[in-house]
Amino acid sequence: MSIKIGEIPYKERIQKGIKDDFMRQAVSSAQGRFRTGRLTQAEELGNWEDWRNLGEEIRTHTLENLDYYLQQLSEQVSRRGGHVFFAETAEEANQYVKEIILKKQAKKVVKAKSMVTEEIGLNKALEEVGAEVVESDLGEWILQLDEDPPSHIVTPALHKNKQQIRETFAKKKGYTGSDTPEELAAFAREQLRQDFLAADVGVTGCNFAIAESGSITLVTNEGNAEMVTALPDTVITVMGMERIVPTWEEMEVLVSLLTRAAVGQKLTSYITALTGARLDEEIDGPEEFHLVVVDNGRSKILGTEFQSALHCIRCAACINACPVYRHIGGHAYNSIYPGPIGAVITPLLEGYDDHKELPYASTLCAACTEACPVKIPLHEHLIRHRQIIVEKEKKAPTAEKLMMKGFAAWASNPSIYNMSAKMAKPALGPWTKDGMIENGPGPLKAWTEVRDFYAPQGQSFRSWFKQRQKDGESK
Amino acid sequence: MSIQNREAFLDKLASRLGRERRTSGVERPQWSVTPQDEVFKGMSQDELVDVLEKHCKVIHTTFKRTDRDGLAKVLNETLEAYEGKLIITSKDARYQEYGVTDFFEEQKEKLDVHVWDSALGKENQKIAERADVGIVFSDITLAESGTVTSFNTKDNGRSISLLPRTFIAIIPKSTLVPRMTQAARHIHQAQANGEDVPSYVSFITGPSNSADIEMNLIVGVHGPVKATYIVVD
């Protein structure tokens, strides 16, 4: 798997999302709960804007000095007995991890949820060298068994219902119990506990690396990242190069913003800071620790007008606020990063060719920008993407190009314009109901599929104006 | 330990940022706002205990409060409620100091208590995996979020709070601070003074949980299914 999650065209993905009633209801209810949680937390603090300003300042300073802080981090990890590998590409990162697996002759790898390893397709790479890879976050485990991609950054299996999960467990793991969430989770706990205890290698992502001490911070509710880092003798952490803070003090601020903005919690059940390899006489934790710092296209964003997109702390608050995500769901974005932030960063990381529709999957209502705890101007980035797509990349959708060409020809010929303006009302009469068109013909179809269109008025502005002047003169 | 591919990687970042590599001299700025310092500012320890108690309801954690004389009784009640027979604890002088060691001694017919012993190696993890209850002393307690901080060492294995079916944290009242800000500052200052951070720092907020199945909250996923905090005055 890579950032792109399939080959189905954009319009079909949207239709699939719109027709999936369970998914739409689940997304809508999840959005409601996450948003209420975030707003309640913000209100309780009373100075949420100060928190957001601080979050933005920290991210800006860190990204402006990214080379310095990554150097400090690598020195400290190394001093604390860890190995650091800087990977320019997904292939380099996967190759490095594969070599460790081969050297350790590892049979079983347990993983804690990690977007960046999804992005580089690490699971597939590890399976190529004969390792069994087990995702240990409950949502990720469900998706792995079902060979389905995630549809949300925080709750990846949001699009699945409990009957589907029960069927997957029954088919893949011989589960015979009911579809109550408690029983399903208890089964997962029992299965995964065996995997944790038997694993040779643990792989994690990284919420925040702390430069001053060389620590890796992991934020979870389930405790799976703790299992993955405490039990196997070798632990490999893969981090996107931007996921770093200067000191513990900034880590604390960003973790507080993350858990509040993501799920409305003050802190999640587990926040863990892992620093290097285990010390003498310690039993838990890795005797061998590796940190893989991944670029994979991120450096192309540095120093550009889109740099603030790298400030993202993966809380999904923008996704939970987005009316478009609400209707089409995560899979429609065809990226492991869905929603507004996905629409901003996916084309930056992978180019416009496969993702030119994403910046259009937005109403530009700015709810995402307002929700972002580190103040990334998401809707402004989306507008800029659209400008680039049209002006520089010349990749405006064909229908839009044809329409604009047609409009120019039509509007620049007064007689045609006047005649069609007059004709519009009677011509559209059969599709008009109470002054609105709900299911228009021809080029109107695409518009009226998603919203109603005001039927043309009988009188044009020009003829109304002429009439008014005449009336005035006669008075 | 090895560091690979660093120079070319970081040189490229500096070039993208349009400047020379920075290898020294970067200072954190004075942040324009510090809202984190305002939360529960100036509260007394007793007021912080109240905050903690209130938040325990949100994090599905049983809250108990006692003094040193009453600790054995409260501990006994909690262990009974958890049907705790096999218990694993960290090795910490405070168990003796707070009378817990004596309590375990008195109850040795009923309770099988294993104190983490680094000389036993991986056997400690196996015991933790079978244990009904894991007990640790909190090193720093965050009132706002109901969080116990545990500095893991050779005497305080990470598995104690993670593998057993249930979890008990003994919280000396003096360990309470308003929020994570104070704990992070403590660790930052120690680091700045040349003191290494522990290889593992755990911030634990109640029992493990998940909302991955249809957004239903399930308490108890990979870690403990139940948790009790006992604040000792």
Side-chain angles (χ1 to χ4, degrees), chain A residues 58-60 62-64 66-67 69-70 73 115-116 119 206-209 239-246 254 292-299 301-302 307-314 337 341 345 349 376, chain B residues 9 13:
Chain A
I58 291 171
R59 292 306 283 144
T60 305
T62 311
L63 266 291
E64 287 295 338
L66 191 56
D67 50 341
Y69 285 120
L70 283 173
L73 175 75
M115 299 301 290
V116 69
E119 178 189 316
C206 167
N207 286 95
F208 301 104
M239 67 176 270
M241 66 177 198
E242 78 284 11
R243 308 298 291 274
I244 183 169
V245 290
L254 292 185
V292 182
V293 185
V294 177
D295 180 334
N296 200 32
R298 287 162 173 73
S299 58
I301 308 172
L302 272 187
Q307 184 167 309
S308 65
L310 292 174
H311 294 179
C312 176
I313 58 172
R314 307 284 190 264
Y337 301 111
I341 186 64
I345 60 174
L349 293 174
I376 303 170
Chain B
F9 189 100
L13 301 193

Side-chain angles (χ1 to χ4, degrees), chain A residues 57 88 189 250 252 284, chain B residues 12 28 32 158 179 221 223:
Chain A
E57 271 183 46
E88 187 114 5
R189 174 192 172 93
E250 288 77 36
E252 183 276 307
D284 295 326
Chain B
K12 185 177 173 191
R28 281 188 301 162
S32 67
R158 307 165 196 189
R179 69 185 311 281
V221 188

Side-chain angles (χ1 to χ4, degrees), chain A residues 219-269:
Chain A
V219 177
T220 78
N221 269 315
E222 295 180 6
N224 56 318
E226 290 59 35
M227 296 282 186
V228 165
T229 50
L231 300 175
D233 278 333
T234 303
V235 168
I236 305 165
T237 294
V238 185
M239 67 176 270
M241 66 177 198
E242 78 284 11
R243 308 298 291 274
I244 183 169
V245 290
T247 79
W248 281 72
E249 294 190 314
E250 288 77 36
M251 178 278 283
E252 183 276 307
V253 173
L254 292 185
V255 164
S256 296
L257 283 168
L258 170 64
T259 58
R260 280 179 161 85
V263 281
Q265 282 176 291
K266 289 192 167 65
L267 291 181
T268 51
S269 295

Side-chain angles (χ1 to χ4, degrees), chain A residues 44-61:
Chain A
E44 201 176 289
L45 280 169
N47 49 359
W48 184 239
E49 285 310 302
D50 281 354
W51 280 88
R52 290 179 78 214
N53 287 332
L54 178 57
E56 184 190 22
E57 271 183 46
I58 291 171
R59 292 306 283 144
T60 305
H61 166 76

Side-chain angles (χ1 to χ4, degrees), chain A residues 22 30 33-34 47 50-51 54 57-58 61 63-71 74-76 78-88 92 96 136-139 142 155-156 158 160-162 165 181 184-185 189 192-193 196-197 212-213 215 221-224 226-227 229-231 233 241 246-253 256 260 266-275 277-279 281-286 293 295 299-300 302-304 307, chain B residues 1-10 12-14 16-17 19-36 38-39 55 59 116-125 128-129 142 144-145 147 152-154 156-165 179-181 183-185 187-189 191-192 196-218 220-225:
Chain A
F22 168 77
R33 284 172 58 182
F34 284 140
N47 49 359
D50 281 354
W51 280 88
L54 178 57
E57 271 183 46
I58 291 171
H61 166 76
L63 266 291
E64 287 295 338
N65 295 286
L66 191 56
D67 50 341
Y68 174 80
Y69 285 120
L70 283 173
Q71 163 146 332
S74 61
E75 293 291 336
Q76 290 293 54
S78 168
R79 197 177 63 79
R80 294 295 299 264
H83 303 271
V84 186
F85 182 84
F86 286 89
E88 187 114 5
E92 279 178 25
Y96 180 75
S136 64
D137 170 86
L138 179 55
I142 294 166
T155 43
L158 185 61
K160 287 208 176 302
N161 65 36
K162 58 190 183 187
I165 296 169
L184 291 166
R189 174 192 172 93
L192 284 164
R193 184 62 76 100
F196 289 129
L197 292 166
E212 71 169 335
S213 62
S215 311
N221 269 315
E222 295 180 6
N224 56 318
E226 290 59 35
M227 296 282 186
T229 50
L231 300 175
D233 278 333
M241 66 177 198
T247 79
W248 281 72
E249 294 190 314
E250 288 77 36
M251 178 278 283
E252 183 276 307
V253 173
S256 296
R260 280 179 161 85
K266 289 192 167 65
L267 291 181
T268 51
S269 295
Y270 294 94
I271 294 171
T272 297
L274 171 72
T275 308
R278 70 178 181 233
L279 300 172
E281 296 184 75
E282 286 184 351
I283 311 302
D284 295 326
V293 185
D295 180 334
S299 58
K300 284 187 294 193
L302 272 187
T304 71
Q307 184 167 309
Chain B
M1 296 293 127
S2 68
I3 301 177
Q4 294 178 59
N5 295 352
R6 181 174 73 185
E7 301 316 308
F9 189 100
L10 297 185
K12 185 177 173 191
L13 301 193
R16 297 291 314 187
L17 287 162
R19 56 165 174 72
E20 295 289 303
R21 259 283 285 284
R22 287 179 184 157
T23 53
S24 62
V26 173
E27 293 287 329
R28 281 188 301 162
Q30 191 78 39
W31 308 117
S32 67
V33 278
T34 50
Q36 70 273 41
E38 302 305 313
V39 182
H55 200 61
I59 59 166
W116 192 267
D117 177 2
S118 59
L120 287 177
K122 294 283 181 193
E123 189 58 26
N124 288 288
Q125 281 179 342
E129 213 278 312
L142 321 179
E144 182 201 34
S145 53
T147 305
N152 296 104
T153 62
K154 71 177 179 58
N156 179 17
R158 307 165 196 189
S159 298
I160 301 170
S161 61
L162 192 61
L163 294 178
R165 186 170 45 81
R179 69 185 311 281
M180 200 180 179
T181 305
R185 189 160 294 151
I187 298 166
H188 163 66
Q189 276 161 0
Q191 180 72 32
D196 274 338
V197 300
S199 58
Y200 208 77
V201 178
S202 313
F203 296 95
I204 305 164
T205 305
S208 66
N209 62 74
S210 172
D212 272 344
I213 301 177
E214 291 194 9
M215 291 285 288
N216 286 289
L217 181 77
I218 302 154
V221 188
H222 301 307
V225 296

